[in-house]
Amino acid sequence: MNLKIPIFALIGMLFTTSMTWAADNKINSVRIWPSPDNTRIVLDLDDVPQYSYFPLKNPERLVIDIADTTGKFNFDGVQNDSDLLKKIRYSTAKNKQSIRLVLELNKNIKPNIFSLRPTAPYGNRLVIDLGDKDTGVASKSSPKSVVRYQDDEQSELPVIIAIDAGHGGEDPGSIGYAGSYEKNVTLAIGKALAELIDNEPGMKAIMVRDGDYYVGYGKRTDIARQHRANLFVSIHADAFTTPQPSGASVWVLSMRRADTELGRWLEKSEKHSELLGGAAEIIQSSRSDEVGLPQTIIGLTRDSSMTTSYEVSEGVIQELRKVTKLHKKRPQAASLAVLTSPDIPSILVETGFISNPKEEKNLNWSAHRQKLAKALHKAISDHFKHNPPHGTLLAKLKQNSRTHRVRSGESLSLLAQRYNVSVKNIKVANNLNTDVVRIGQVLTIPRS
Ligand SMILES: [Zn+2]
């Protein structure tokens, strides 16, 4: 054995080795998006990640090896509000060309890991979903909404409005002319609408998402169904490739593909958004128009559900036209991923074009958002007061009502006393937000 290898040769060999095995991928940033029932962790990388992973028990951990990657990204600075993830740290890698990450978990969680290709504003990503498998497929929940009021003749249930703020978390939605994210606009308008609805006796709002995290489209309608929602309202902001288009539009489910250019564009762009935040490879195969419902029930509920959707959308347009420009004066039909739940009346409101500089400014302005929310609230509330679902407080108020013309000296509290009903119920029945009544005003008096 000849040990006399010249030192320069040795250096040369090492150098060659490191050149050949150059690890050229790198973690640039990390985002952690906790939602109520899962956590999404996103690693931004220079290149498409080559990865493998396995779980470890006692304590629960998830080990991820990423090949051809170097650099020590500092995980300490990453904001982590997740209940599922304790911390991310490095461990000894399999070899010098790879890194090993250890995710310390708070419980045994089955992960779903996949890579995402670059889509603005992000580059190559590795996505680690912890928690329920939110792949866009709705779970098999029973269609409770159909039998909801069967034995409930005397109940005073609230009318439930599921508010779906579009996009969220890793999916920014459309990006505005000046860089605003649609996901933030939709959440702000959604929250304003929820507050208005919750302030109204006989109605209750459910936020499909109430923070900055992503919810798969199947899961969105699933949440609405679990809460037995009477209406599903999805809030969005439009974008186009040019800054000119502007105005709001309202969309309802179509069982056919869209037959207008705008409809096809929207189908494409909203689906595109799903790819930004969702499990891209699973979307195509899992998409189904009738998510988790038996055919018979779809047949029974589709007609009435679509009628309601259409009626509400017309009302929404009438109210929106008072506060903003309209892009389309009639409800539009398209087969959008988020509107594929035929058992729940559903509408999608594009509140304006975020790609239009003026409308982007408006959509970022809280007074304008409030106006939009008020318009939506009025249309929705009017619809359900005129057409209250059976078994709800609104149905009871409508059924038991009579009228009274206000005379001099009469007040709401006096009338409430005389008719033996509460001031609150008179206000609900008449959509009043003040205690002041005028002489000659005709009031609906609910029976107690
Ligand atoms: Zn959108």
Side-chain angles (χ1 to χ4, degrees):
M1 188 158 41
N2 183 8
L3 289 172
K4 284 181 189 163
I5 303 170
I7 190 79
F8 62 84
L10 200 63
I11 291 167
M13 277 163 68
L14 286 170
F15 190 67
T16 314
T17 309
S18 73
M19 284 299 281
T20 314
W21 295 92
D24 40 22
N25 210 351
K26 188 174 150 239
I27 298 175
N28 295 314
S29 55
V30 176
R31 290 179 294 282
I32 301 172
W33 304 103
S35 80
D37 45 24
N38 68 2
T39 290
R40 168 165 287 186
I41 300 149
V42 184
L43 311 180
D44 286 314
L45 298 125
D46 276 349
D47 217 334
V48 180
Q50 306 299 321
Y51 62 94
S52 59
Y53 62 94
F54 58 91
L56 282 177
K57 284 202 159 295
N58 300 318
E60 302 294 340
R61 280 152 295 165
L62 174 65
V63 180
I64 305 171
D65 289 319
I66 309 176
D68 293 335
T69 302
T70 48
K72 290 270 172 183
F73 180 84
N74 182 10
F75 293 104
D76 296 341
V78 180
Q79 188 180 343
N80 176 20
D81 302 318
S82 169
D83 296 334
L84 304 175
L85 175 72
K86 262 192 235 168
K87 67 180 283 191
I88 307 176
R89 60 174 167 82
Y90 287 100
S91 179
T92 313
K94 277 196 298 192
N95 54 52
K96 282 196 169 123
Q97 289 74 44
S98 68
I99 55 165
R100 170 164 287 182
L101 303 180
V102 178
L103 277 61
E104 293 182 9
L105 308 175
N106 279 318
K107 59 178 182 180
N108 179 14
I109 305 160
K110 236 186 157 188
N112 184 25
I113 305 188
F114 53 93
S115 61
L116 283 176
R117 273 178 306 210
T119 348
Y122 299 118
N124 278 295
R125 285 160 290 168
L126 182 65
V127 179
I128 304 129
D129 274 344
L130 304 171
D132 65 341
K133 271 205 163 182
D134 189 9
T135 57
V137 187
S139 64
K140 296 269 179 293
S141 59
S142 58
K144 286 169 189 144
S145 53
V146 177
V147 289
R148 180 177 173 191
Y149 303 120
Q150 225 164 38
D151 306 311
D152 253 344
E153 292 294 331
Q154 297 308 312
S155 69
E156 296 189 358
L157 290 166
V159 168
I160 292 168
I161 311 297
I163 300 171
D164 172 46
H167 313 279
E170 190 65 9
D171 171 11
S174 298
I175 299 172
Y177 195 78
S180 316
Y181 286 176
E182 180 187 353
K183 66 173 183 179
N184 299 328
V185 169
T186 61
L187 186 61
I189 297 171
K191 282 185 170 172
L193 175 58
E195 203 185 318
L196 292 168
I197 287 172
D198 282 337
N199 278 336
E200 176 145 357
M203 294 186 85
K204 187 172 181 303
I206 301 296
M207 290 296 285
V208 169
R209 73 166 173 102
D210 59 9
D212 190 9
Y213 50 85
Y214 183 75
V215 182
Y217 59 85
K219 181 84 188 296
R220 289 180 193 248
T221 44
D222 226 30
I223 291 170
R225 193 173 291 123
Q226 275 158 18
H227 286 97
R228 304 174 174 193
N230 299 94
L231 179 71
F232 179 85
V233 184
S234 194
I235 299 172
H236 288 256
D238 244 325
F240 202 68
T241 46
T242 57
Q244 287 81 26
S246 66
S249 56
V250 183
W251 295 77
V252 291
L253 168 66
S254 164
M255 289 302 169
R256 288 169 294 134
R257 306 300 298 181
D259 45 10
T260 64
E261 198 194 337
L262 183 74
R264 278 194 298 272
W265 163 262
L266 194 66
E267 282 178 5
K268 222 173 82 204
S269 62
E270 290 295 352
K271 195 168 164 187
H272 175 73
S273 291
E274 291 293 339
L275 293 174
L276 280 173
E281 57 268 52
I282 301 162
I283 280 172
Q284 254 110 26
S285 57
S286 69
R287 169 133 188 216
S288 156
D289 279 346
E290 278 89 22
V291 182
L293 281 177
Q295 282 298 328
T296 44
I297 289 159
I298 293 161
L300 286 172
T301 58
R302 180 187 283 164
D303 287 353
S304 85
S305 161
M306 287 181 80
T307 307
T308 303
S309 308
Y310 196 79
E311 282 173 6
V312 174
S313 66
E314 292 226 290
V316 168
I317 285 178
Q318 292 318 312
E319 291 304 322
L320 278 178
R321 77 174 344 134
K322 298 173 189 167
V323 298
T324 191
K325 195 192 152 185
L326 292 180
H327 188 68
K328 292 279 165 186
K329 292 183 171 61
R330 309 276 312 150
Q332 305 293 302
S335 69
L336 302 167
V338 77
L339 292 184
T340 47
S341 188
D343 57 323
I344 307 169
S346 307
I347 63 166
L348 184 147
V349 182
E350 295 279 4
T351 50
F353 275 79
I354 202 168
S355 52
N356 177 291
K358 195 179 147 208
E359 286 201 336
E360 180 183 20
K361 220 177 264 176
N362 278 342
L363 291 169
N364 279 318
W365 184 30
S366 69
H368 183 74
R369 289 170 173 173
Q370 195 64 30
K371 276 188 202 169
L372 294 169
K374 275 185 178 162
L376 294 176
H377 167 251
K378 177 150 195 325
I380 292 165
S381 143
D382 283 356
H383 173 85
F384 284 106
K385 274 178 187 157
H386 288 119
N387 312 279
H390 187 56
T392 58
L393 175 64
L394 294 186
K396 192 179 167 190
L397 293 175
K398 187 180 181 225
Q399 188 192 6
N400 294 340
S401 60
R402 58 224 133 138
T403 57
H404 175 92
R405 186 179 292 274
V406 178
R407 284 181 293 252
S408 171
E410 288 177 341
S411 66
L412 270 191
S413 54
L414 185 100
L415 293 174
Q417 218 169 20
R418 187 185 303 159
Y419 287 104
N420 196 26
V421 292
S422 68
V423 169
K424 188 187 91 179
N425 282 355
I426 298 180
K427 286 170 79 175
V428 173
N430 295 279
N431 232 340
L432 298 177
N433 38 28
T434 152
D435 282 353
V436 182
V437 287
R438 0 170 219 95
I439 296 166
Q441 188 174 358
V442 178
L443 293 175
T444 298
I445 307 290
R447 284 179 213 277
S448 53

